[in-house]
Amino acid sequence: MTVSAPFLLTRATPRELLGHHLRRAGSGGRIIQTCRTGQHDTFVATETATPQQAQDAATRTPADKTQELTARYFSTRGPASIEDYCWWSTLPKTQATRTAEALVISGELTSFILDGTTYYMGSWQFDVTPQELDRALALTYHLPAFDEYFIAYKNRTHLFTPGVDPHTVMTKNGIGWPFIVEGGLITGRAQS
């Protein structure tokens, strides 16, 4: 074998390789990482941890899975736009829009248009009282870097207090820091 440019060959220990393979199996849904035992990661087979869910997942169609993913995203992160959802899920825009609209028709989601953009959210959000909203907005959250509060949206400009630069939470090259949310808006980086 000829190599035209120098390259670096790294050697991983058997323990590092095992961890890599276990995490890869986890990303494929075959195992679930559970609580650490001392210094050691622990894993359990998906069929053992959640037998009914594993069996249900094996019999569901791709359309069923897309519908559940769409409903969960907008019900937990809405209001959000199709562009936000497509960025987060990597689904094609046509498929995402068709699925979200079907969920609006079924009553699971609702939608509204603001400044020419359609936003979707869980229909349950209509039942939130002004008092519940006030209590939620009175809370201060110290969130970790890459928390879903920030990362779940393509357009993040509406998440920040006016005058706060979004690059204080994540740089253009993807370096992130813990941040603070007050009154529902990101106020800046959390001090470590």
Side-chain angles (χ1 to χ4, degrees), residues 86-156:
C86 291
W87 178 88
W88 180 85
S89 68
T90 70
L91 287 172
K93 186 175 182 177
T94 302
Q95 181 182 17
T97 304
R98 191 177 326 122
T99 305
E101 286 298 325
L103 288 165
V104 168
I105 291 168
S106 75
E108 192 166 349
L109 296 181
T110 189
S111 64
F112 63 92
I113 298 173
L114 179 66
D115 296 332
T117 300
T118 302
Y119 292 90
Y120 298 86
M121 61 186 199
S123 295
W124 67 267
Q125 289 175 281
F126 281 125
D127 295 333
V128 175
T129 66
Q131 295 81 13
E132 290 172 322
L133 186 57
D134 288 343
R135 280 195 302 272
L137 291 175
L139 297 172
T140 297
Y141 299 98
H142 294 260
L143 299 174
F146 306 107
D147 187 86
E148 283 288 307
Y149 197 92
F150 174 77
I151 206 75
Y153 307 96
K154 181 177 183 179
N155 178 2
R156 300 178 182 126

Side-chain angles (χ1 to χ4, degrees), residues 1-191:
M1 174 173 104
T2 10
V3 177
S4 57
F7 67 96
L8 177 63
L9 180 63
T10 60
R11 292 188 182 178
T13 66
R15 182 182 200 139
E16 292 169 333
L17 286 174
L18 177 60
H20 170 75
H21 289 296
L22 288 171
R23 283 177 185 76
R24 184 174 178 116
S27 70
R30 294 185 299 271
I31 63 172
I32 298 170
Q33 185 170 1
T34 62
C35 299
R36 291 175 65 96
T37 304
Q39 296 285 1
H40 305 286
D41 294 330
T42 56
F43 300 84
V44 65
T46 303
E47 293 80 18
T48 303
T50 58
Q52 186 60 50
Q53 290 87 344
Q55 184 180 358
D56 291 347
T59 61
R60 294 172 57 215
T61 67
D64 293 337
K65 294 175 184 179
T66 300
Q67 184 174 1
E68 182 177 349
L69 184 68
T70 305
R72 287 185 180 205
Y73 175 84
F74 288 113
S75 291
T76 59
R77 293 162 182 85
S81 69
I82 287 294
E83 288 74 21
D84 292 327
Y85 177 54
C86 291
W87 178 88
W88 180 85
S89 68
T90 70
L91 287 172
K93 186 175 182 177
T94 302
Q95 181 182 17
T97 304
R98 191 177 326 122
T99 305
E101 286 298 325
L103 288 165
V104 168
I105 291 168
S106 75
E108 192 166 349
L109 296 181
T110 189
S111 64
F112 63 92
I113 298 173
L114 179 66
D115 296 332
T117 300
T118 302
Y119 292 90
Y120 298 86
M121 61 186 199
S123 295
W124 67 267
Q125 289 175 281
F126 281 125
D127 295 333
V128 175
T129 66
Q131 295 81 13
E132 290 172 322
L133 186 57
D134 288 343
R135 280 195 302 272
L137 291 175
L139 297 172
T140 297
Y141 299 98
H142 294 260
L143 299 174
F146 306 107
D147 187 86
E148 283 288 307
Y149 197 92
F150 174 77
I151 206 75
Y153 307 96
K154 181 177 183 179
N155 178 2
R156 300 178 182 126
T157 56
H158 60 282
L159 298 175
F160 289 86
T161 299
V164 174
D165 181 4
H167 294 115
T168 61
V169 174
M170 183 185 288
T171 64
K172 289 180 183 178
N173 62 352
I175 298 172
W177 290 279
F179 57 95
I180 299 171
V181 175
E182 296 175 285
L185 296 172
I186 299 172
T187 58
R189 192 184 307 177
Q191 301 301 317

